[in-house]
Amino acid sequence: MGLTSQSLEYTVIVLAVVCVAATVWLWPRLSRRGVGPVLGRLGAIMVTQVSIVCALALAVNTNYEFYGNWDELLGNTDEAPASVSQGGGQYASVGNLKGGLVQPAGPQGLDRVTGLPKGPADRVGKVESVKIVGRRSRAINPGFVYLPPQYFQQQFRRQRFPVMVVISGYPGGIMNLAQHLQVPQNAGRLIAQNKMQPTVIVMVRPTIAPPRDTECVDVPGGPQAETFFTKDLPDAMKSAYRVGRDPSAWGAFGYSSGGTCSLQLAMRNPKVYTSAVSLSGDYAIKDDLTTGSLFGPGPEGARREREHDLLWRLKNLPAPQISALVASSRKGEADYGDTMKFLRAAKSPMTVDSIILPQGSHQFTTWRREVAPALQWQSQQLTFPQDTEAPQRKPGVGKGGAPGQRTAPSPAPSASDDKGHRRVEAERPRG
């Protein structure tokens, strides 16, 4: 049974209940005097406590995914550099990329997610459970990859698709993206409604060294999280899937810590990610108990920390040529003040749009209202179609227009505030 599997969680919970019931039933017999009864009482207490702690630990890990599998828990991870699989212009399915940069994984909780595509892949799409191997960072990160129906259709067989790298919060994991935020479910619905262009979505967590919160930062002498997201992950996706090579095809998207990462990645690496979505993210990275020292000591450490302050970057450095969407709430979100400062500080050639709710706290209830319009917004920032696998295209690719072109999706409803920043309307809560 997998570490995050429902069957293991239920089995341990049942064992904990049985241990408690057995202790209560046997306690009168163990209440006598003597060495045997005393040892029996101590043993019963120990077994009961251990079973309860194990059940609670499994439940917490299943929800937040500090460890995605037994190898991660036991430290038995392969750190050897992997090689890129060459396919002669043809991309194998992940299941055939043995030893590659993207490798098939167990369910990783995907079997417990409702609403995922069911049926032929060329009609409903597909979600794959994978692990992503970093050649430079030497990290191995769990992930889910959503492939739209068009990825499997004959007329798109040579086309490369745009990519969204969707990052969860901390300490949450990829399960939160599929189960609570319902990223692949929302994407499938929007694509079917022609409100979002066909897009490959890779869902990952922000940390590459759990349980430490690495905040997408290259730590001096430590985990190289920024390298993983800006070099390793793009290389891995390009080696395994038909995805765009140009930065205009790549966007970062996240909530909470993942939103912080998405802005950092795009603003610091505009030649890798040309758009970013941040739902309730922060605008600066600070050390705390979960991160440890991210930047190192002394003046050099202070410089690194300062360069991860996005408000400082907008004031003191040239603005990157990217588009960004930030989301917050006037009431209930601690980052509202900094979000407004960020909107006011943005300058050309950078463009910033916003989703500002009247009220909404730092939780999935709020982010579920924002995720669909945010996906639709980012889809409009990414270019499609990208170049093809072969020099020649066959006629009839795409919908309407010239061969290889696709009808543009309907624009997301928006309005302008008094500062000239566009507001993207979030979905109304459903009664």
Side-chain angles (χ1 to χ4, degrees):
M1 289 183 284
L3 183 60
T4 60
S5 67
Q6 212 167 24
S7 56
L8 177 63
E9 183 180 355
Y10 289 161
T11 299
V12 175
I13 289 174
V14 169
L15 287 175
V17 172
V18 169
C19 287
V20 172
T23 299
V24 172
W25 178 259
L26 295 173
W27 197 258
R29 300 182 184 180
L30 300 174
S31 61
R32 303 169 185 170
R33 295 181 180 180
V35 176
V38 169
L39 293 176
R41 292 196 295 271
L42 291 174
I45 292 172
M46 183 179 68
V47 171
T48 302
Q49 294 294 325
V50 169
S51 65
I52 293 173
V53 169
C54 287
L56 291 174
L58 271 175
V60 170
N61 185 69
T62 299
N63 189 46
Y64 292 107
E65 277 197 32
F66 291 104
Y67 300 98
N69 52 56
W70 291 107
D71 285 333
E72 282 189 0
L73 178 65
L74 300 175
N76 298 328
T77 54
D78 185 4
E79 296 185 355
S83 59
V84 179
S85 298
Q86 300 294 329
Q90 296 295 322
Y91 290 80
S93 67
V94 170
N96 295 328
L97 283 178
K98 188 175 181 180
L101 299 180
V102 180
Q103 300 175 8
Q108 301 184 126
L110 198 61
D111 52 341
R112 294 186 280 116
V113 178
T114 59
L116 293 177
K118 292 183 179 179
D122 61 349
R123 293 185 182 180
V124 297
K126 182 181 179 183
V127 180
E128 296 184 334
S129 177
V130 302
K131 54 183 178 181
I132 300 168
V133 181
R135 288 188 302 167
R136 301 170 182 84
S137 64
R138 306 179 78 88
I140 301 177
N141 227 16
F144 297 147
V145 177
Y146 168 76
L147 302 171
Q150 291 80 0
Y151 189 90
F152 304 95
Q153 294 172 4
Q154 181 68 12
Q155 64 266 37
F156 290 93
R157 71 189 182 281
R158 296 185 183 275
Q159 206 70 58
R160 292 189 175 127
F161 290 77
V163 185
M164 292 184 190
V165 177
V166 183
I167 309 169
S168 70
Y170 177 88
I174 53 177
M175 268 289 291
N176 288 344
L177 295 170
Q179 186 173 40
H180 298 304
L181 212 59
Q182 297 194 325
V183 170
Q185 297 91 322
N186 276 288
R189 175 173 58 85
L190 291 169
I191 291 171
Q193 296 172 352
N194 199 34
K195 294 180 179 179
M196 176 178 168
Q197 59 186 327
T199 304
V200 171
I201 300 177
V202 52
M203 291 160 271
V204 289
R205 62 191 182 190
T207 179
I208 66 167
R212 184 179 184 181
D213 182 9
T214 50
E215 289 281 347
C216 298
V217 171
D218 278 352
V219 181
Q224 303 295 289
E226 187 172 16
T227 295
F228 175 84
F229 280 99
T230 58
K231 293 183 173 65
D232 289 340
L233 188 148
D235 284 353
M237 291 297 294
K238 291 171 186 176
S239 75
Y241 298 99
R242 298 196 317 275
V243 295
R245 269 39 178 176
D246 193 83
S248 62
W250 285 74
F253 184 119
Y255 71 88
S256 191
S257 293
T260 304
C261 280
S262 69
L263 282 178
Q264 293 278 342
L265 292 172
M267 290 189 66
R268 290 173 54 83
N269 304 274
K271 293 185 178 180
V272 179
Y273 298 99
T274 54
S275 72
V277 171
S278 174
L279 309 182
S280 306
D282 294 326
Y283 300 91
I285 295 177
K286 303 290 184 182
D287 290 345
D288 59 30
L289 292 176
T290 63
T291 64
S293 177
L294 292 173
F295 306 106
E300 188 66 16
R303 179 189 63 81
R304 292 193 187 98
E305 182 174 357
R306 184 169 60 248
E307 290 180 353
H308 282 81
D309 185 330
L310 301 185
L311 293 174
W312 181 90
R313 294 184 71 90
L314 286 174
K315 183 178 180 180
N316 295 279
L317 299 176
Q321 189 169 350
I322 65 166
S323 55
L325 173 67
V326 294
S328 187
S329 304
R330 292 188 182 91
K331 185 178 180 181
E333 282 279 21
D335 73 334
Y336 173 69
D338 284 342
T339 298
M340 301 311 295
K341 291 178 183 178
F342 185 81
L343 289 170
R344 289 191 290 266
K347 55 189 177 183
S348 181
M350 181 178 176
T351 61
V352 183
D353 296 333
S354 64
I355 297 175
I356 304 297
L357 300 179
Q359 183 172 342
S361 55
H362 200 79
Q363 58 174 304
F364 286 104
T365 302
T366 300
W367 301 323
R368 278 194 292 267
R369 295 180 60 191
E370 300 165 343
V371 63
L375 286 170
Q376 188 174 347
W377 175 91
Q378 186 158 69
S379 175
Q380 295 170 4
Q381 316 306 312
L382 306 179
T383 56
F384 179 82
Q386 283 284 305
D387 53 351
T388 57
E389 287 185 324
Q392 296 182 347
R393 298 177 181 171
K394 289 191 176 182
V397 177
K399 294 183 180 180
Q405 292 183 336
R406 182 178 180 275
T407 305
S410 304
S414 63
S416 297
D417 61 17
D418 54 358
K419 297 292 183 180
H421 296 292
R422 289 185 297 171
R423 300 193 307 273
V424 181
E425 296 294 335
E427 291 186 339
R428 296 180 180 272
R430 296 178 181 175

